[in-house]
Amino acid sequence: MRLRSSLFGVCGLLLQLFGMAVFMRGFFPAPANSFGAAKARASAAPAEPAGGLASNRTGLPSPLFGRVVIMLVDALREDFVFGPKGKQFMPHTQQLVERGSSHSFIAKAWAPTVTMPRIKAMMTGKIPGFIDIIMNLNSPTLLEDNLIWQAKAAGKRTVFYGDDTWIRMFPDQFIEHDGTTSFFVSDYTEVDENVTRHLDKVLERNDWDLLILHYLGLDHIGHLAGPNSHLIGPKLSEMDNIIQKVHTGLVFKDGEAPLPNLLILCGDHGMSDTGSHGGSSSHEVNTPLVFISPAFRKKKSFESEHVEQTDLTSTLALGFGLPIPRNNLGHLIPSVFEERSLREQLRYLHLNGYQLSLLIQESVPAFEKDAGYKLFQIAQKSHGSWIKLYMEGNTSETLANLGKKVLRQYLDAVKFMSSSLSKIVAQYDLYSMIVGTIIVVEVIFLLVVCTPEALGSTAEFEVPVFSPFYSLLFYLLCLMFAAVHVVVCTSTSTSCYFCSLSWLLVATVIVLISALQCMLFSTLWKCFANGKPQQKSCAVDCSSWSELNLVLLLGSIGHTVSLASSSFIEEEHQTWFFLVNTLLLVFFQDTCRKYFAVSDPKGKATKWNSEDIDCNEQQTTIHGLFETSDLDPKDDKSKSYARSDRNFEKWLVLSSPWVILVFCRLLRSLNQTGIKYAQKPDIGHWLTSSNHRIELSTLTAISLLLIFVLVQKKCSFVSKAALALGLVGIYCYRAAVGNVVFPWKLDKQYVSKYVLAAGVLSKHVLFTYLYLAYFSRELKTF
């Protein structure tokens, strides 16, 4: 079975896309089974375990707080509040954290540390994966059970000011809102003032129960200048003043409300050392979480605990008198409820454990064996025994000891269940990743091996599927891969995507992998046995639409589409690197088709039409490339020189793409940029360091000298003098500002007064002269 090279290339591309899809299915963590868009209901809350007695607590407990203000500062790192910068720029917050009625925590945010998944995590209690970013592109509305929906269902009135991501995720959920866009990263002033301008009026009103403030200015400063910028301090001071204003307003209203108010200071994610976010470094995932309320005892010293960011969901839900969202993976923060009675604390933990146990049953096939689930069942029975003793009026020490024991059991149970569910979210399907890798690697090797045969547009490739020898190997490979599949699916304790598929689909993939193996073995055998590629008469496609044009078109479209994402904009240079490398390789392939077209080995005349003749005139055979050593002695010397020049030019064209690729790699190492690799050392940092100023000076002098040598050839004497003066002035200017050094020692005062002025003047003379020369040349042309 023979295929044209173009069709074979398309099939290889499709197979590679299929292999990449299989790999990505295993690489992206599969979310835990959830209840989808189903919502938790207050009426569905489990009754309090009563040990066979009738308990009077069957619904949700009463709320702990009257009104809640969530102040979310985008990209707020934990050391901005608890570290030296917090002590320097946020004095009021430091006083509340160290001596006020508050609880401080360091909340860990799971990757990806970007705003939309973090908001989803805090409001649903679910850990979003990287795939959630893709799944939410076309459906920004959050359909899963969340705190905002529960608050509205319970009659709570929510007001929002800040990042308009909330408005897109929770449409029609706020009684009042004013969104600010995060697109203008250079704006770090008005984007926060548009939030703060509402505070004076909204804090005086009594028509809201939940107020959410999302400030973007700190995140924008991080993207612009990094966490060590001089702009960070004033922005933290501004946030501290806002915290003081909100806290003062809530304290003033506490006397009018039956329940104490609550202020929550938090960050959606942190900020890396370069000012970006999205990864999993410690500065990106560690965020502050501060609960401030008169319901808490005043602290004597600073204390902070490590919690998960998803723990906010269940804690805030029960503290606000709401059902816990059904897909929540977090557990209660016990210190927030430590002022309540033991019975109330057990009730809160029982509700949290019951919600997590339902999710365990949906997500884990053998949930009865889960350590957290078994411990919860034990704690629930012990809780019933404690309630029975409590309702019977037992006040002995046995009741207190049993209550403390049940409390510890509940805490361990919810932590174990939360950890089990979180591991399911972060679990990779290695089997699918291996299958996808095998398919991609086989196709790549097959394309590389078949390049000599498929180089020409008219070349064909023989698919050895029907060969008797390889048919036997094909069946042996199918049996081997089928046995491996059975062993993997019966021995593993985790859920694999391929193991859940039907045998028909699995058999199709096994046949595909075996066929690719046979094709690869056959091609390698032909290469080693024959040693000669398939010979064709003409390898150049003279059509007007070439692969080079296709790469340019698709590359331009792909780069334009990538600019719609802020993450791709930050790493735009990676797109350019990929496109340049691809373009050079396509250019090399096109050059090989022109210069390495194999002629007819028998030397027979071939009939050509007019188009083929035009095509053949642009080509040179391999024999022609090596004719320089077997020249006819009757040829004229000029013809031999011309032929050698043509051969040299052809080899120069063939080597040019590879030389350019080498220099492109050096340019990539010259200055690391973007987000992922900006902090890594590069040649630019090495040259600009104070220890290597002599090397930089030498390189600068050589570069300026090369510029003069290359440019002065076609210049007049006056132009040469102006060019030399300008280049010397450039070096003097750089030496005066301290970038390079002089070959001789000069007084610093002399340098600062005269050399700097001379350098600037010489640069202006050079640029003025070049401008006038260019302008005069344009006038002559006109």
Side-chain angles (χ1 to χ4, degrees):
M1 181 178 180
R2 304 184 66 85
L3 294 177
R4 291 177 58 88
S5 62
S6 56
L7 180 59
F8 178 69
V10 172
C11 293
L13 178 61
L14 294 177
L15 289 176
Q16 277 193 320
L17 292 176
F18 173 73
M20 292 172 61
V22 174
F23 177 86
M24 292 172 64
R25 175 59 180 81
F27 179 76
F28 286 115
N33 294 335
S34 62
F35 295 98
K39 306 295 191 297
R41 304 289 178 178
S43 58
E48 184 180 47
L53 301 178
S55 174
N56 57 352
R57 299 189 180 183
T58 57
L60 291 174
S62 58
L64 302 180
F65 309 104
R67 296 202 294 178
V68 177
V69 177
I70 300 176
M71 181 175 172
L72 192 154
V73 181
D74 210 296
L76 184 64
R77 291 180 6 176
E78 57 92 11
D79 59 332
F80 285 174
V81 178
F82 304 140
K85 290 185 179 180
K87 295 180 180 179
Q88 181 180 0
F89 300 110
M90 305 184 72
H92 182 76
T93 305
Q94 279 295 310
Q95 191 274 331
L96 292 174
V97 166
E98 295 179 355
R99 302 291 178 182
S101 303
S102 64
H103 288 290
S104 302
F105 309 97
I106 298 177
K108 178 184 176 182
W110 288 64
T113 49
V114 290
T115 298
M116 189 274 291
R118 293 298 96 220
I119 296 174
K120 180 179 179 180
M122 289 187 289
M123 293 297 104
T124 65
K126 187 178 179 181
I127 301 176
F130 287 94
I131 195 66
D132 285 277
I133 302 177
I134 303 174
M135 295 174 63
N136 281 276
L137 287 177
N138 296 324
S139 179
T141 302
L142 185 59
L143 302 178
E144 296 182 41
D145 195 5
N146 58 82
L147 287 177
I148 304 298
W149 188 92
Q150 290 291 349
K152 185 176 181 180
K156 307 287 186 180
R157 297 157 296 180
T158 306
V159 177
F160 171 77
Y161 305 119
D163 188 358
D164 56 3
T165 304
W166 291 75
I167 302 174
R168 296 194 300 269
M169 294 179 66
F170 308 103
D172 305 324
Q173 299 295 318
F174 307 117
I175 62 170
E176 180 181 329
H177 61 79
D178 185 14
T180 57
T181 180
S182 59
F183 183 78
F184 301 103
V185 183
S186 58
D187 173 26
Y188 53 85
T189 303
E190 293 184 5
V191 72
D192 287 343
E193 292 178 352
N194 288 334
V195 179
T196 308
R197 63 190 177 93
H198 298 282
L199 287 182
D200 291 332
K201 293 183 179 179
V202 76
L203 290 175
E204 295 176 357
R205 291 157 39 188
N206 296 318
D207 59 346
W208 57 271
D209 302 290
L210 176 61
L211 173 63
I212 302 175
L213 310 172
H214 190 151
Y215 286 92
L216 290 166
L218 184 66
D219 178 69
H220 290 185
I221 292 176
H223 285 293
L224 286 174
N228 299 318
S229 169
H230 66 280
L231 300 173
I232 293 291
K235 179 57 66 175
L236 292 177
S237 299
E238 179 186 348
M239 295 296 102
D240 187 62
N241 294 331
I242 295 171
I243 293 171
Q244 184 176 7
K245 176 182 289 188
V246 175
H247 181 244
T248 304
L250 291 178
V251 170
F252 180 77
K253 290 288 185 179
D254 275 333
E256 305 175 4
L259 293 174
N261 297 323
L262 173 65
L263 169 61
I264 299 177
L265 172 65
C266 62
D268 55 346
H269 52 75
M271 183 188 303
S272 68
D273 293 333
T274 60
S276 64
H277 55 86
S280 56
S281 64
S282 59
H283 287 315
E284 292 175 271
V285 300
N286 290 332
T287 62
L289 178 60
V290 183
F291 289 78
I292 305 171
S293 175
F296 308 137
R297 286 197 308 254
K298 287 192 175 182
K299 303 172 65 175
K300 297 181 180 180
S301 61
F302 171 69
E303 299 174 358
S304 64
E305 304 176 30
H306 285 267
V307 298
E308 298 288 340
Q309 194 179 57
T310 51
D311 296 342
L312 173 64
T313 308
S314 54
T315 303
L316 183 56
L318 294 180
F320 211 26
L322 303 175
I324 300 176
R326 301 190 70 171
N327 298 324
N328 165 69
L329 305 181
H331 59 81
L332 287 178
I333 304 176
S335 55
V336 177
F337 302 93
E338 63 185 6
E339 302 298 324
R340 312 301 293 182
S341 66
L342 182 58
R343 183 179 184 182
E344 290 176 309
Q345 294 183 50
L346 294 178
R347 177 59 173 160
Y348 293 136
L349 289 170
H350 174 250
L351 291 173
N352 187 202
Y354 180 79
Q355 177 265 324
L356 291 174
S357 67
L358 293 180
L359 202 56
I360 283 281
Q361 296 177 33
E362 291 291 327
S363 306
V364 181
F367 64 90
E368 300 91 348
K369 300 180 181 179
D370 184 80
Y373 183 83
K374 291 192 294 184
L375 188 56
F376 173 72
Q377 298 298 324
I378 297 173
Q380 197 169 215
K381 294 179 181 179
S382 302
H383 188 190
S385 302
W386 185 89
I387 290 293
K388 184 177 180 180
L389 293 176
Y390 179 84
M391 296 182 67
E392 290 175 353
N394 191 324
T395 57
S396 63
E397 188 177 353
T398 305
L399 182 67
N401 293 335
L402 181 60
K404 293 178 182 179
K405 178 182 178 182
V406 176
L407 187 65
R408 288 193 301 269
Q409 289 176 341
Y410 268 138
L411 288 173
D412 292 340
V414 295
K415 288 180 181 179
F416 286 155
M417 288 190 290
S418 177
S419 177
S420 299
L421 292 169
S422 300
K423 289 179 180 178
I424 294 175
V425 173
Q427 189 178 50
Y428 294 95
D429 186 356
L430 294 179
Y431 186 35
S432 299
M433 294 170 63
I434 293 174
V435 172
T437 303
I438 291 175
I439 295 175
V440 172
V441 171
E442 285 181 345
V443 174
I444 290 177
F445 273 103
L446 190 60
L447 291 176
V448 171
V449 172
C450 297
T451 300
E453 292 189 61
L455 190 61
S457 62
T458 59
E460 294 180 350
F461 177 74
E462 184 176 356
V463 182
V465 175
F466 304 106
S467 173
F469 174 76
Y470 286 106
S471 296
L472 176 60
L473 178 62
F474 170 75
Y475 289 117
L476 291 176
L477 289 173
C478 289
L479 290 175
M480 183 187 70
F481 289 129
V484 171
H485 177 77
V486 172
V487 172
V488 170
C489 293
T490 54
S491 61
T492 181
S493 58
T494 58
S495 58
C496 298
Y497 175 69
F498 262 84
C499 295
S500 62
L501 296 178
S502 64
W503 264 103
L504 180 61
L505 295 177
V506 173
T508 304
V509 176
I510 291 176
V511 168
L512 173 63
I513 296 176
S514 303
L516 289 174
Q517 287 275 18
C518 291
M519 293 168 64
L520 183 59
F521 291 156
S522 174
T523 307
L524 289 174
W525 176 265
K526 289 172 59 179
C527 290
F528 286 108
N530 300 330
K532 296 181 180 180
Q534 185 178 355
Q535 297 177 343
K536 291 292 171 179
S537 59
C538 184
V540 177
D541 186 5
C542 297
S543 62
S544 59
W545 189 259
S546 64
E547 292 89 345
L548 195 62
N549 296 332
L550 185 62
V551 170
L552 290 173
L553 177 62
L554 296 180
S556 302
I557 296 175
H559 179 252
T560 304
V561 172
S562 70
L563 296 179
S565 170
S566 59
S567 299
F568 278 108
I569 292 176
E570 292 173 350
E571 302 289 343
E572 182 184 5
H573 57 286
Q574 300 285 356
T575 306
W576 281 111
F577 293 154
F578 175 78
L579 291 177
V580 169
N581 294 343
T582 306
L583 189 63
L584 289 172
L585 292 176
V586 173
F587 175 72
F588 176 75
Q589 181 201 24
D590 188 65
T591 307
C592 288
R593 286 182 176 179
K594 291 181 180 179
Y595 293 147
F596 284 92
V598 184
S599 60
D600 189 356
K602 298 181 180 180
K604 295 181 180 180
T606 307
K607 295 182 179 180
W608 304 92
N609 54 33
S610 59
E611 294 182 358
D612 293 334
I613 294 175
D614 295 337
C615 179
N616 192 44
E617 288 177 353
Q618 301 176 9
Q619 301 179 10
T620 303
T621 63
I622 294 179
H623 177 71
L625 288 174
F626 298 97
E627 282 181 342
T628 55
S629 59
D630 299 326
L631 296 176
D632 189 351
K634 297 181 180 181
D635 289 345
D636 189 62
K637 289 185 177 180
S638 60
K639 293 183 179 181
S640 63
Y641 288 148
R643 181 175 299 171
S644 63
D645 290 340
R646 285 196 301 269
N647 290 333
F648 174 76
E649 179 183 355
K650 293 164 187 175
W651 285 110
L652 181 64
V653 172
L654 291 173
S655 62
S656 295
W658 301 101
V659 174
I660 297 174
L661 281 174
V662 172
F663 279 103
C664 286
R665 187 63 188 90
L666 291 177
L667 287 176
R668 292 179 62 177
S669 302
L670 181 63
N671 183 26
Q672 299 284 2
T673 183
I675 301 302
K676 297 174 64 177
Y677 308 108
Q679 72 277 6
K680 293 187 176 182
D682 50 38
I683 300 176
H685 286 86
W686 185 83
L687 287 174
T688 54
S689 63
S690 59
N691 298 329
H692 304 95
R693 194 167 294 176
I694 296 178
E695 290 85 349
L696 178 61
S697 304
T698 305
L699 183 61
T700 304
I702 294 175
S703 301
L704 294 176
L705 182 61
L706 287 175
I707 292 175
F708 178 79
V709 171
L710 294 174
V711 176
Q712 58 87 28
K713 293 181 178 180
K714 297 182 180 180
C715 295
S716 63
F717 176 78
V718 178
S719 300
K720 294 178 181 179
L723 178 63
L725 179 62
L727 295 176
V728 171
I730 291 175
Y731 187 90
C732 293
Y733 171 77
R734 289 299 173 187
V737 297
N739 298 130
V740 297
V741 296
F742 282 108
W744 60 88
K745 292 185 178 180
L746 293 175
D747 183 67
K748 293 183 179 179
Q749 185 178 2
Y750 174 80
V751 171
S752 61
K753 284 187 176 181
Y754 300 104
V755 178
L756 182 61
V760 175
L761 180 61
S762 300
K763 287 173 60 179
H764 284 294
V765 169
L766 174 63
F767 294 146
T768 303
Y769 181 81
L770 292 177
Y771 174 76
L772 292 176
Y774 175 78
F775 184 70
S776 62
R777 187 180 65 180
E778 291 296 323
L779 286 178
K780 291 180 181 180
T781 304
F782 179 76

